[in-house]
Amino acid sequence: MIYIEIFIAFFIPGIIGYGGGPASIPLIEHEVVHRYGWMTVDEFGEVLALGNALPGPIATKMAGFVGYEQAGVLGATVGVFATVAPSLVLMIALLSLLYKYRHSPKVKKMTMLIRPTIAVLLGVLAYRFFASSYEATGIWQTGLLIVISFFLLERLKVHPALVIAGALVYGAVFLG
């Protein structure tokens, strides 16, 4: 039963997570945290941070980790397969169709209309992380990390993986 749950938890975000990894992260969070209760929001945030700091697609790394935590190596295999299967099947089945209509205004308009939905999903996820951080560490620690991260990312153009690694070190030293 756990393998079916792992498959469903990562297959559904893979199907409806149009737009790639960032679009599917809030959907994975819903499945893993709220539907199955395998992690808390804080634990999910930690996995997301570590996954972002490592090279490769975020959704498959998260699926491998969560699947392994729930059901060992076979669980990790099921999770990773469930994550890549929808894209793999759709790529094989629809590649010629998409290639044929790639310059179509309707296809371009469809893509433009999906972007706000992805932005809202990411905004809701960010709000949950901020609320969780505020409850755990208070307004000053949360605010300090937000301001420093924003400055490093937007002004100094530091790679996000380095900002995440720095925040992890800060948390381990000052909050651990």
Side-chain angles (χ1 to χ4, degrees):
M1 186 65 178
I2 187 68
Y3 301 113
I4 294 171
E5 290 177 349
I6 292 170
F7 184 83
I8 291 170
F10 290 99
F11 188 74
I12 291 172
I15 291 174
I16 60 177
Y18 182 83
S24 64
I25 289 171
L27 304 172
I28 293 171
E29 187 255 355
H30 174 76
E31 296 290 325
V32 170
V33 173
H34 303 291
R35 183 172 181 188
Y36 292 108
W38 294 330
M39 296 180 155
T40 65
V41 172
D42 292 341
E43 292 168 338
F44 185 83
E46 292 169 0
V47 171
L48 179 63
L50 285 173
N52 269 327
L54 299 173
I58 183 75
T60 53
K61 288 180 284 187
M62 294 181 75
F65 178 79
V66 172
Y68 183 80
E69 284 290 307
Q70 295 305 310
V73 174
L74 186 56
T77 304
V78 169
V80 170
F81 176 73
T83 302
V84 300
S87 298
L88 183 64
V89 170
L90 286 175
M91 284 291 292
I92 292 170
L94 300 176
L95 188 60
S96 62
L97 186 64
L98 288 174
Y99 186 77
K100 183 177 179 181
Y101 295 106
R102 71 180 184 273
H103 298 297
S104 166
K106 289 182 180 178
V107 171
K108 290 180 179 179
K109 189 173 183 178
M110 179 184 75
T111 302
M112 294 301 292
L113 291 174
I114 290 173
R115 288 182 180 172
T117 304
I118 294 169
V120 169
L121 289 172
L122 290 173
V124 169
L125 182 63
Y127 172 75
R128 288 182 185 156
F129 286 160
F130 292 147
S132 174
S133 178
Y134 171 74
E135 291 173 7
T137 63
I139 190 69
W140 295 110
Q141 298 288 344
T142 302
L144 179 67
L145 286 173
I146 290 170
V147 169
I148 290 173
S149 297
F150 182 80
F151 180 77
L152 291 173
L153 291 169
E154 294 299 319
R155 296 289 183 171
L156 300 180
K157 304 296 182 194
V158 174
H159 192 278
L162 296 175
V163 175
I164 292 169
L168 288 172
V169 170
Y170 178 85
V173 171
F174 295 107
L175 304 175

